[in-house]
Amino acid sequence: MGSNGASPSLAHVVGVPLPRIDGYAKVTGAAIFADDIALPRMLFGKLLRSPHAHARIIAIDYERALRHPGVVAIAVGGDLPVRYGILPSAQDETVFAIDKVRYVGEPIAGVVAEDELTAQQAAALIEVRYEILPSVMSIDEALLEVGGNGEKIHPDSRKANNVHKDVHLAFGDLDAGFADAERIFDDEYFFEGNPHAALEEHSAVASFGADGQLTLWSSTQTPHYLHRVAASVLDLPASRVRIIAPPVGGGFGGKTEPVAHELAAAHFSRKTGRPVKFTLSREEVFYTHRGRHPVRIHLQTGIKSDGSIAACRLQTWLDGGAYGSYGVATTYYTGALLPVTYKMGAYAFDGCRVYTNKPPCGPKRGHGTTQPRYAFESQLDEIAKELGIDAGAYRTAIAIDPYSRTINHLRVTSCGMREALSAVSERTDYSEKHGKLAPGRGIGLAASAYLCGAGLPIYWNPMPHSGAIVKVDRGGGVTVFCGTSDCGQGSQNMLAVIVAETLGIDILDVSVCAGDTDLTPVDLGSYSSRVTFMAGNAARSAALDVRERIAAAVGAELGIAAERCVFERGRVFDRDEPERALSFIDAARAAEARFGTLAGVGSYTPPEDLHGDFKGSGVGPSPAYSYSACVAEVEVDFETGEVRVERIVLAHDCGRALNPAIVEGQIEGSAYMGMGEALMEESAFRNDLHRIPNLLDYKTPTILDTPRIEAIVIETEELEGPYGAKEAGEGPLNPVIPAIANAVADAIGARIFATPITPERVLQALDGTTGKLRLRAPVATRSA
């Protein structure tokens, strides 16, 4: 591009149109030849990112970069103009920024070259001219009406400020509830945002074949939604897009939505005819973000003389970063699940999410529910203290009942919260220790609840949320095909366990094919702790479909009713005469001979009666909820303010534990992650820049910080779960943070109202400062 500043409309490929062999570009030095067939060498990509938090793009000049030896292609915003987003209501991102940038680190251009270093060098040669705009870096700034030299982060918004979404819901007679209350507790809290900090960075490889088929391998938690977005952004028929999600590492919510490097890899592969790989550096992962929202919380709770909750009003203000992401859902989630733990007479929720010039926030383990849970459980401890009631006994008394409805019309089925509270209290002697330990030592308790998958899909439609196919071969081998993505939570083991149990065979005889949109039925993805409940039910349904035919064939062979067939230990036998049996292999062959190819199909759609009929009721309902309780024991150094967690006991109601070792691992991981968020993790910004975008300086607990962790598996019978199972991936995290906060309050005799609970905040509290926000949070109104 010349100096006139005009943006190009197409990606530019070095040289003349390339001759092709079997659909691949034949370029000297760019291919390996075998028997006269070119095997294309992979290209490597790098993204040029914005150094400014808020600026208008005046011109982009990439001529020098294009001439750099080894560079094959460059693309900018105009080459991929289609807007996308994970939610239908937030289609506000493009692969590369067009017209303006909205946060430091936003992609502006992409370069692919013969090697990664060359691509990085070429990206540095791209010259961009900006008009710097005032940045918005806080919730307070975002709520102000934009005027003067300012410009809204999204100018097309109809709001006068940078509010993205506001929500107002009320259930029951709130005024009457507060009027009936013996005492009203009124507190403000702040929960700092933080990233997922998964060890594995994001990476994607794309290959566009001669048949016009795009294959994209990506470390994604949602292959189905990536498939949908890739087809839209690249203007390809969905039938020609294949997404494969290899089990390449952790996600914690950070890989649940399509992001720029995935779509850029696909675009460049189509343009060059060669495979293209993008791998983000650790710093780029921090900029890609989608992590936990910073949330300001105002919580009012009215308590009757018997301790019951007469009324509760929750107000939240979310710092959403520069784009929508899952933000609309996150806003609702900050209020939707609070009543799932405790009975309330009336409840109101006001939520407001704002845009700021920071990397976009999204879902992190416990999506949207972690921040208000910290506040509510902290306040409940203060309420119990004022009432002179043991905090564990108080929570048990007001706990939601199994098989009931919450004040906001959510359906609760099995509920093991009372059992979890009892288990952690007894294990730690909580009642004997709380308020009685030496100064500097404390013990705290908290409880929580979480989803077993969202009751409605992101794109509302009547189709199943998860599907599965179970195929049985003539050798007795069984393969499960399901679109789930295993990001370390053990979903493939879960599918194999359920199918093996249903067919009465060894788990080692079951193979799982997952995360491949060409080979597997649709599963909506690994988020909202939905996989065990939803994909597990689908797999069980598919296995039952197969079992029914096998039973019919065996019944015919043995001359008995199919209902008398029992599947167990690799045999199918007569329930009344167990010695009359066929091996599973012979049973499968008999069924194939009788019915043809042996495969079963199953799917899962949540029930329709999970929620009320009001705007916003689609966020919060779930076919079941898990429940957790945690006790933490800490020691606080009064001279340095350092908090040392000595013990965490965490109980989780997971329904039936299909694999107790994996459930315990999830509980232990939740304790570790929760401790980090409680004491040290924060997405801190200074002068528009992320202060610590690397794992050298960003603080997460090490093995030396990790305390003794005791996992307690609480088993309840969830009638609608696969073999009684519920989730275990996200729920155990939520009570850990307030349990530690309550333990610190017990240790120092003062409440800290913000996370992380750093030594500085502890010393302020010891000096008589509470850490409370000095200014009351501005109230979000309908006109905001």
Side-chain angles (χ1 to χ4, degrees):
M1 185 185 72
S3 60
N4 60 6
S7 297
S9 59
L10 295 173
H12 292 260
V13 180
V14 173
V16 297
L18 305 173
R20 305 180 72 81
I21 297 178
D22 286 347
Y24 295 117
K26 182 179 181 181
V27 185
T28 302
I32 302 170
F33 291 90
D35 297 327
D36 297 323
I37 297 177
L39 303 177
R41 283 172 46 184
M42 186 177 291
L43 296 172
F44 297 87
K46 279 293 178 182
L47 301 175
L48 174 68
R49 296 179 179 271
S50 169
H52 303 294
H54 199 196
R56 194 170 288 112
I57 299 173
I58 304 302
I60 303 176
D61 188 341
Y62 51 73
E63 293 296 339
R64 288 177 60 207
L66 200 57
R67 294 194 300 268
H68 191 68
V71 172
V72 177
I74 293 176
V76 295
D79 300 310
L80 291 162
V82 176
R83 294 186 180 276
Y84 66 92
I86 189 65
L87 300 183
S89 60
Q91 305 287 299
D92 58 0
E93 294 189 65
T94 53
V95 177
F96 306 117
I98 300 175
D99 300 329
K100 69 185 295 188
V101 293
R102 294 174 170 87
Y103 64 94
V104 172
E106 180 165 12
I108 298 172
V111 180
V112 292
E114 299 294 344
D115 59 78
E116 193 171 15
L117 179 59
T118 298
Q120 186 172 344
Q121 292 170 341
L125 296 175
I126 298 175
E127 298 179 4
V128 184
R129 287 199 294 118
Y130 300 95
E131 177 190 341
I132 308 300
L133 300 170
S135 59
V136 177
M137 299 300 291
S138 71
I139 293 172
D140 287 336
E141 291 176 359
L143 290 171
L144 296 174
E145 185 170 332
V146 178
N149 296 325
E151 179 177 304
K152 289 187 293 185
I153 295 172
H154 291 274
D156 55 349
S157 168
R158 289 177 289 180
K159 298 182 184 293
N161 50 19
N162 283 294
V163 169
H164 171 213
K165 178 68 177 180
D166 49 13
V167 174
H168 307 278
L169 298 173
F171 307 92
D173 192 334
L174 195 72
D175 292 337
F178 278 122
D180 290 343
E182 181 80 13
R183 177 163 179 190
I184 298 174
F185 292 78
D186 190 324
D187 295 296
E188 296 178 17
Y189 302 84
F190 180 74
F191 195 105
E192 183 59 88
N194 45 69
H196 310 87
L199 289 180
E200 300 81 8
E201 296 99 330
H202 302 56
S203 188
V205 175
S207 179
F208 194 84
D211 56 358
Q213 178 89 6
L214 170 68
T215 302
L216 177 60
W217 294 263
S218 181
S219 53
T220 178
Q221 295 175 239
T222 53
H224 168 66
Y225 288 121
L226 178 55
H227 178 270
R228 184 187 181 104
V229 169
S232 172
V233 170
L234 299 169
D235 193 24
L236 285 171
S239 59
R240 296 187 183 179
V241 177
R242 180 184 186 185
I243 307 297
I244 300 174
V248 293
F252 311 113
K255 300 168 184 175
T256 57
E257 60 184 296
V259 285
H261 71 280
E262 297 167 311
L263 303 170
H267 169 76
F268 279 120
S269 183
R270 178 168 64 173
K271 286 295 179 182
T272 64
R274 294 169 62 181
V276 174
K277 180 177 183 179
F278 276 80
T279 298
L280 302 188
S281 67
R282 177 59 61 184
E283 184 174 2
E284 288 180 299
V285 172
F286 272 84
Y287 296 143
T288 303
H289 194 43
R290 320 290 157 152
R292 187 137 10 246
H293 287 66
V295 180
R296 178 183 291 171
I297 300 161
H298 181 203
L299 182 61
Q300 297 169 295
T301 306
I303 302 298
K304 294 183 178 181
S305 57
D306 62 357
S308 61
I309 300 175
C312 178
R313 185 185 185 191
L314 171 68
Q315 295 170 285
T316 61
W317 293 264
L318 293 78
D319 182 343
Y323 289 101
S325 182
Y326 281 87
V328 172
T330 312
T331 306
Y332 279 105
Y333 273 131
T334 58
L337 295 196
L338 209 64
V340 175
T341 44
Y342 305 108
K343 289 173 279 191
M344 301 177 180
Y347 177 62
F349 164 60
D350 299 290
C352 177
R353 185 182 190 263
V354 299
Y355 290 119
T356 59
N357 291 119
K358 300 177 185 176
C361 296
K364 183 181 176 182
R365 198 177 196 172
H367 186 194
T369 67
T370 305
Q371 302 95 319
R373 182 57 57 187
Y374 153 73
F376 197 36
E377 294 295 318
S378 295
Q379 190 180 74
L380 284 179
D381 248 38
E382 296 299 318
I383 292 172
K385 181 179 177 181
E386 289 296 318
L387 295 175
I389 303 174
D390 175 80
Y394 177 54
R395 287 173 170 85
T396 299
I398 63 174
I400 199 80
D401 294 320
Y403 301 99
S404 63
R405 290 274 176 175
T406 67
I407 186 65
N408 58 336
H409 311 297
L410 298 178
R411 188 196 73 165
V412 174
T413 54
S414 60
C415 173
M417 192 169 82
R418 288 186 174 93
E419 293 88 337
L421 284 165
S422 175
V424 296
S425 296
E426 291 177 8
R427 177 75 65 89
T428 59
D429 295 324
Y430 172 81
S431 298
E432 288 72 29
K433 293 179 181 177
H434 186 251
K436 305 178 182 71
L437 298 175
R441 301 184 67 85
I443 187 169
L445 178 146
S448 186
Y450 198 64
L451 309 160
C452 293
L456 291 171
I458 290 174
Y459 290 82
W460 288 15
N461 62 73
M463 292 181 283
H465 291 211
S466 189
I469 298 171
V470 171
K471 178 186 71 70
V472 181
D473 64 39
R474 296 176 184 179
V478 176
T479 305
V480 188
F481 298 87
C482 188
T484 55
S485 172
D486 197 324
C487 51
Q489 81 276 38
S491 62
Q492 294 197 26
N493 176 271
M494 175 274 299
L495 293 170
V497 164
I498 287 174
V499 171
E501 178 72 16
T502 305
L503 298 179
I505 59 177
D506 194 300
I507 189 175
L508 297 178
D509 291 327
V510 181
S511 300
V512 177
C513 175
D516 187 325
T517 59
D518 261 18
L519 301 181
T520 64
V522 167
D523 176 81
L524 298 184
S526 296
Y527 64 93
S528 295
S529 278
R530 56 176 301 284
V531 175
T532 292
F533 205 98
M534 298 190 178
N537 267 321
R540 184 168 186 264
S541 177
L544 287 171
D545 187 22
V546 170
R547 191 174 77 169
E548 184 177 340
R549 274 170 280 167
I550 296 175
V554 172
E557 289 278 328
L558 300 180
I560 61 174
E563 293 76 16
R564 281 172 53 180
C565 291
V566 177
F567 290 68
E568 191 174 290
R569 297 187 180 182
R571 300 166 66 242
V572 184
F573 56 87
D574 182 0
R575 181 189 60 221
D576 298 336
E577 300 180 63
E579 68 278 3
R580 301 185 64 206
L582 293 180
S583 69
F584 182 78
I585 294 175
D586 289 338
R589 290 171 178 170
E592 184 174 347
R594 187 179 182 88
F595 298 107
T597 300
L598 202 54
V601 176
S603 60
Y604 177 78
T605 304
E608 296 182 357
D609 64 338
L610 302 180
H611 56 85
D613 184 16
F614 57 90
K615 184 178 180 181
S617 64
V619 179
S622 177
Y625 298 93
S626 68
Y627 289 87
S628 307
C630 179
V631 166
E633 298 184 51
V634 305
E635 182 177 7
V636 181
D637 188 318
F638 279 22
E639 293 187 0
T640 65
E642 181 183 4
V643 177
R644 177 81 179 175
V645 180
E646 296 185 327
R647 184 186 185 193
I648 293 176
V649 178
L650 181 52
H652 182 67
D653 158 31
C654 64
R656 183 180 181 185
L658 301 180
N659 186 321
I662 288 181
V663 173
E664 290 178 7
Q666 291 284 13
I667 294 172
E668 291 165 0
S670 294
Y672 165 86
M673 181 175 281
M675 186 182 75
E677 292 194 51
L679 298 181
M680 59 189 72
E681 294 195 49
E682 57 180 329
S683 291
F685 288 80
R686 181 186 294 133
N687 298 327
D688 298 347
L689 298 174
H690 197 297
R691 200 172 66 193
I692 38 178
N694 61 77
L695 290 186
L696 178 63
D697 301 307
Y698 183 82
K699 293 182 179 179
T700 59
T702 69
I703 190 65
L704 297 178
D705 303 306
T706 303
R708 175 182 170 190
I709 298 173
E710 299 171 44
I712 302 176
V713 177
I714 303 294
E715 290 196 293
T716 56
E717 188 64 26
E718 173 50 52
L719 300 179
E720 297 181 26
Y723 291 106
K726 297 195 288 189
E727 74 88 32
E730 299 184 61
L733 167 74
N734 279 351
V736 176
I737 300 164
I740 292 173
N742 290 337
V744 172
D746 185 44
I748 68 175
R751 172 70 55 182
I752 297 173
F753 289 80
T755 69
I757 302 172
T758 59
E760 292 82 1
R761 286 192 169 120
V762 171
L763 292 176
Q764 286 176 353
L766 291 171
D767 286 339
T769 306
T770 65
K772 239 182 196 181
L773 297 172
R774 294 183 179 276
L775 298 176
R776 181 167 301 284
V779 177
T781 65
R782 293 183 187 277
S783 60

